Amino acid sequence: MDDIQKSFVERLQQQGIAIDDRQLHQFEQYYELLVEWNEKMNLTGITERDQVYTKHFYDSLTLAFYVKMPDIGNMADIGSGAGFPGIPLKIAFPHLKLTIVDSLNKRITFLKHVVETLGLEQVELIHGRAEEVARKQGYRDGFDLVTARAVARMAVLNEFCLPFTKVGGRFAAMKGSDPSEEIQEAARSLKELRGSLNQVYSFSLPIEESDRHIVIIDKKGATPAKYPRKAGTAAKSPL
């Protein structure tokens, strides 16, 4: 274990998250694949190893500081890109049944390779638009926890993600800048989609102290039949 890994493990331990040698090896494999595939396709602008461990891996796992992951059975990560936060959370909490939805097939191809190389089980990777997948049986109102990391503004994210969230479940939006204004403008979408603001957690990443915010939304009722609207509508005309 080198200094970067040691620092990563120690910071997680301070938050009550234990990573064993096998899991640490999986994170290192993930890093290597990310850098290798990033030369062929644009997965991330962050490739320095210490930065990947902090800004991708640790940042993804911060969700577990505020949500009791051992209590989560299944999770959907919407617009996951290169697999964040879904894959790091799956590595750290192997019991999770993880579903990742992304609209770009080449990213899904990359994630399939990651899942196979790391030996991850109970991971479903779906190439498709969130608005279309959320209407399918088994996905609609189907997940204990739904996540999205830096995908869109809250009014749009609510329509992407709350239809996947089961009644009594939670949607967690992972944000960089202060989301207060976004939350205010998303009040109507929350009401329409049967969501209720639970809490906003604010913190800073270690070392460079970048601001981070996690918005927790509770799902109070089943998604109305007219939502989500057809693909592209939410982004063009937010609720």
Side-chain angles (χ1 to χ4, degrees), residues 202-215:
S202 302
F203 57 97
S204 298
L205 286 184
I207 304 172
E208 73 203 37
E209 301 188 344
S210 299
D211 289 341
R212 292 291 186 272
H213 306 269
I214 296 178
V215 183

Side-chain angles (χ1 to χ4, degrees), residues 40-230:
K40 298 179 282 184
M41 64 175 77
N42 183 26
L43 291 167
T44 177
I46 299 168
T47 54
E48 298 84 358
R49 187 160 168 268
D50 60 334
Q51 295 282 298
V52 170
Y53 269 82
T54 300
K55 290 186 175 181
H56 283 326
F57 298 165
Y58 181 87
D59 188 23
S60 293
L61 294 175
T62 57
L63 184 57
F65 304 168
Y66 308 104
V67 174
K68 292 181 180 177
M69 297 307 295
D71 296 344
I72 304 298
N74 63 349
M75 179 181 114
D77 183 8
I78 309 303
S80 186
F84 308 119
I87 298 293
L89 286 164
K90 173 65 180 177
I91 294 171
F93 301 95
H95 76 280
L96 286 173
K97 292 180 180 178
L98 173 64
T99 297
I100 285 177
V101 178
D102 199 275
S103 61
L104 204 59
N105 196 42
K106 65 181 182 179
R107 289 197 288 248
I108 293 295
T109 301
F110 164 70
L111 292 173
K112 283 179 179 174
H113 187 68
V114 169
V115 166
E116 289 168 7
T117 303
L118 273 56
L120 301 178
E121 298 178 349
Q122 293 188 305
V123 178
E124 183 179 14
L125 303 166
I126 300 174
H127 169 229
R129 298 287 293 258
E131 303 98 317
E132 293 165 356
V133 179
R135 287 196 165 272
K136 295 181 180 179
Q137 188 174 357
Y139 302 102
R140 189 177 185 83
D141 296 331
F143 293 89
D144 299 326
L145 178 66
V146 179
T147 68
R149 178 176 177 255
V151 173
R153 291 179 72 83
M154 287 301 304
V156 178
L157 274 186
N158 286 337
E159 190 166 353
F160 285 166
C161 297
L162 280 168
F164 286 94
T165 313
K166 68 168 55 171
V167 178
R170 287 181 165 180
F171 161 44
M174 304 180 74
K175 294 282 185 178
S177 55
D178 185 349
S180 300
E181 184 183 321
E182 288 184 41
I183 292 169
Q184 286 182 340
E185 71 180 26
R188 179 174 173 240
S189 69
L190 274 182
K191 185 177 179 181
E192 285 280 320
L193 293 156
R194 308 298 187 262
S196 175
L197 180 64
N198 178 304
Q199 196 157 350
V200 180
Y201 296 99
S202 302
F203 57 97
S204 298
L205 286 184
I207 304 172
E208 73 203 37
E209 301 188 344
S210 299
D211 289 341
R212 292 291 186 272
H213 306 269
I214 296 178
V215 183
I216 305 289
I217 306 289
D218 294 333
K219 181 73 172 283
K220 296 296 189 180
T223 304
K226 62 182 176 180
Y227 298 115
R229 293 168 292 170
K230 66 180 182 179

